Amino acid sequence: MYSKKFNNSSILNLIFIIIICEIHLTENIDVIIIGAGTAGTYLGWILAKNGHSVKIIEKDKRENVGNRLDVIHFESDRVKKAGLPPFDPNKQDCIEIRDTSTVVTPDFETEIKTRVYQTIVRLTPFLNKMYDILESDSVQLEFSTKYENLIFKDSRIIGVKVSNNGEKKEYMANLVVDASGTNAVVRTSLPEDYGVETFTLGPNDVMYVLLQYIKWKNPEIPHPETDTGYNYWLLWFGPSLGENQAILGVGQPGSYENARLAREDFLSEINLPPYEILKEEKGFTPYRRPPYSLVADAFLCIGDAAAITYPFSGHGVTATWMLCKIAAKVISFELKKGGYLTKERLWDINVNYFRDQGAKFAALLTQLSGILNFNKKEWSYFLKSGLIYKTGDDDELPEPNQEFEEDMSIKEMIGFISKIIGGLIKRKLSLTNVKKLLKANSLANDIKNHYERFPMSSDEFQPWVNEAKKLWQKKKTAIKKLNNVEIEYK
């Protein structure tokens, strides 16, 4: 028979190893973020800079994150507000920085130069740069790791379960953040009564985007400039990767087929010079209101997981960064105080977001239900008359309002009404669609005012939600009638 005698030193070493393992298993991280895209990396970065321990879980391999879409646009003023390192067009992650854009009327008669500050970025190189920055600030990044489910104690979140190549892991955290994108894998797995809506995105809740990377075969023949929009079709020519190249993009709700048909209708109306399609990409972005609350006990959702997007363009990255700045301030303050992060302690994230940017976005989403009904002739009149873009003073280029809202002075309001009446008299506008626009604008104002009164306490939340639901139910479906398809915007 084999036997082995343990001396006191061996026993003490074994006990020490067991204690160390137990400490490791129950290690408490300040913040666990699910998703290493633009939302999760930014929030993780600013929290780490504030001295908090952060772990980011990502299902894809490090080299594959962001591969679905190559080129994206950031609003340059938001990049500066976010405090990110400046972009350099000579570096791999930045294609160019622009300060103007062109909008073309659907009758193709008029080009309108607009002041739009945009930084054109290659997504994967940008994310890889961010990962290096995060790791230098002690953020733990874990790739090829799948979120499985939440860990609860006394019906409250205390951590997450994940898996990596079949290995199961548990991480305890003071806060779990869903930054997993449109799948919203954490938010949709919450208990129904946890305080944050668990809806999934259906076909009418997203804009389906088709991108063709093209190269002009005869670049000497006049063709659309890069960063030219044909808003009637929700179609644009964006900057691409090489000389004489562009990205032909289109977005529509309902299906990729709707987007394809809208592009087909556009191409049947315009006389473009020949081009070669180098590659194609597709994806979708949220097109609906966010959850009424972004927070619950030890939980926050951000980015596409929270349906945070600018309604007029579908851009969501920099909009989420503004939410992250709000969230980081509240989270840092509460983590330093210690104790469990209840919904009430995180509630100021809701208040500060929905009373400002959230209210503006809600109003813009509602206004679209009036604007998108217009036909080509009406849309052309709106653009030529300066009813969509502010015209500025003297020779100043028009620009979309930098704060994402149309705040008209009395003089501007009188001018707006005069142009509407003029359009009706000249039969450039139909009375039916003008009525729809005015009703949508009125409802947008009511919704904006309601969001600006977002309750300061969670105790007053449910009555606020009840009223918000009544307002959103008044929002009408817009219908765009193209030559080959009718598209509904719900």
Side-chain angles (χ1 to χ4, degrees), residues 228-396:
T228 295
Y230 297 82
N231 295 354
Y232 176 71
W233 290 274
L234 303 185
L235 181 145
W236 65 95
F237 287 86
S240 189
L241 306 176
E243 188 177 1
N244 301 320
Q245 295 182 26
I247 298 175
L248 171 52
V250 61
Q252 294 291 342
S255 66
Y256 286 118
E257 179 65 4
N258 281 349
R260 187 191 69 80
L261 289 171
R263 182 177 63 199
E264 182 181 277
D265 183 65
F266 166 78
L267 293 174
S268 71
E269 297 278 335
I270 191 172
N271 184 24
L272 290 178
Y275 58 84
E276 173 189 1
I277 299 174
L278 303 176
K279 69 173 181 175
E280 297 187 78
E281 296 174 341
K282 65 181 181 180
F284 53 85
T285 184
Y287 174 68
R288 60 153 295 149
R289 66 162 180 83
Y292 290 123
S293 173
L294 305 175
V295 304
D297 289 343
F299 176 79
L300 167 68
C301 56
I302 61 175
D304 284 352
I308 305 294
T309 48
Y310 177 39
F312 267 59
S313 69
H315 296 171
V317 175
T318 57
T320 282
W321 289 348
M322 299 304 102
L323 166 61
C324 289
K325 285 174 65 68
I326 293 169
K329 186 175 181 179
V330 174
I331 293 165
S332 293
F333 178 76
E334 294 298 337
L335 283 174
K336 288 173 183 175
K337 288 167 60 177
Y340 188 80
L341 296 187
T342 62
K343 172 179 65 178
E344 288 74 20
R345 294 180 65 185
L346 298 170
W347 196 254
D348 276 352
I349 298 173
N350 276 339
V351 175
N352 294 330
Y353 179 75
F354 284 120
R355 287 193 169 199
D356 187 25
Q357 180 173 280
K360 296 167 185 174
F361 280 18
L364 290 174
L365 181 61
T366 308
Q367 285 177 335
L368 281 174
S369 65
I371 294 171
L372 291 170
N373 289 296
F374 287 111
N375 60 33
K376 284 196 296 184
K377 182 175 74 172
E378 292 169 325
W379 196 264
S380 293
Y381 178 78
F382 259 72
L383 286 169
K384 292 176 183 178
S385 303
L387 289 168
I388 292 181
Y389 294 105
K390 288 190 173 182
T391 54
D393 299 319
D394 301 324
D395 295 327
E396 182 184 345

Side-chain angles (χ1 to χ4, degrees), residues 13 53 59 64 80 86 98 106 111-112 116 142 152 154 159 175 197 229 281 306 320-321 357 382 386-387 408 420:
N13 286 338
S53 59
K59 63 179 176 60
N64 291 342
K80 186 175 181 180
R98 303 179 64 89
E111 293 186 356
I112 302 166
V116 180
E142 193 167 318
F152 292 89
D154 299 327
L175 179 69
E197 292 166 274
E281 296 174 341
T320 282
W321 289 348
Q357 180 173 280
F382 259 72
L387 289 168
M408 291 188 182
I420 291 288

